[in-house]
Amino acid sequence: MEWLKEKITFIFTRNVSTEQLTMSIVLGITCGVFPIPVLTTAACLISTLFVSVNVPIMTTINLLMTPLELAMIPVFVMAGKYIGAHKLLYGLDAPEPTLNMSAMLASIQDNVWQGLKEFADVLLLAIIAWLIFVPIASTILFYALEPVVAKLMLKFKKETIN
């Protein structure tokens, strides 16, 4: 347990600003729920092109988000259907695509690219909903987490001095 405490102390006492550390956590969370399995790391990598973050922290948070990512896929698909993304993409009389989560995960486990191609229309709805979700959730999370991260940074810096 002492090893874990040392690692956490190291993260919070390195030369990173409060804003950078907070944004690393926020993007790890929001990009970590990207609705296409196995591509959350790519979403995180793309986000680093636009925002200065601590990549190891963001990647760690991203990987910790995997269970939530899988749980959020149906939510993003339903949100995509709710906003009418399928009608926008396929026409007003297009039938709603259906999602069978167990079939999708089994297909992706058998062959990742074939599974993604098979469920591309459903996942596209989820991506559209996720693109709307990210800026809103990132803003809320940033302002909610920044005071917490600042206090943690202060606490860990005091502990390393003593």
Side-chain angles (χ1 to χ4, degrees):
M1 204 62 177
E2 188 63 32
W3 174 84
L4 182 62
K5 185 177 179 184
E6 287 176 17
K7 292 296 179 187
I8 292 171
T9 302
F10 178 72
I11 288 170
F12 281 101
T13 56
R14 287 177 26 167
N15 291 331
V16 294
S17 68
T18 303
E19 293 80 18
Q20 189 179 26
L21 185 57
T22 304
M23 189 53 76
S24 302
I25 294 168
V26 166
L27 289 178
I29 293 169
T30 56
C31 292
V33 294
F34 184 71
I36 299 182
V38 306
L39 291 181
T40 60
T41 305
C44 285
L45 178 66
I46 291 169
S47 73
T48 63
L49 299 174
F50 303 103
V51 182
S52 175
V53 295
N54 183 308
V55 176
I57 293 171
M58 182 179 65
T59 304
T60 302
I61 301 293
N62 169 31
L63 294 175
L64 291 172
M65 296 304 295
T66 301
L68 184 61
E69 172 207 4
L70 297 175
M72 289 295 290
I73 292 172
V75 174
F76 284 127
V77 170
M78 288 186 288
K81 287 180 185 180
Y82 180 77
I83 62 174
H86 67 288
K87 292 183 183 193
L88 180 76
L89 294 171
Y90 304 114
L92 294 175
D93 57 343
E96 286 188 6
T98 57
L99 172 66
N100 182 337
M101 209 43 202
S102 59
M104 183 182 79
L105 291 176
S107 179
I108 288 172
Q109 282 179 337
D110 289 342
N111 184 339
V112 173
W113 299 117
Q114 185 60 36
L116 292 176
K117 281 173 43 180
E118 185 179 332
F119 290 93
D121 57 339
V122 174
L123 293 174
L124 191 56
L125 295 178
I127 291 171
I128 291 170
W130 178 80
L131 287 171
I132 294 168
F133 163 81
V134 167
I136 297 166
S138 294
T139 303
I140 293 168
L141 281 171
F142 182 83
Y143 288 110
L145 291 176
E146 190 176 30
V148 175
V149 170
K151 285 181 183 176
L152 285 172
M153 287 181 80
L154 206 60
K155 177 185 180 214
F156 283 110
K157 282 183 183 177
K158 284 181 183 176
E159 284 182 9
T160 57
I161 292 172
N162 295 334

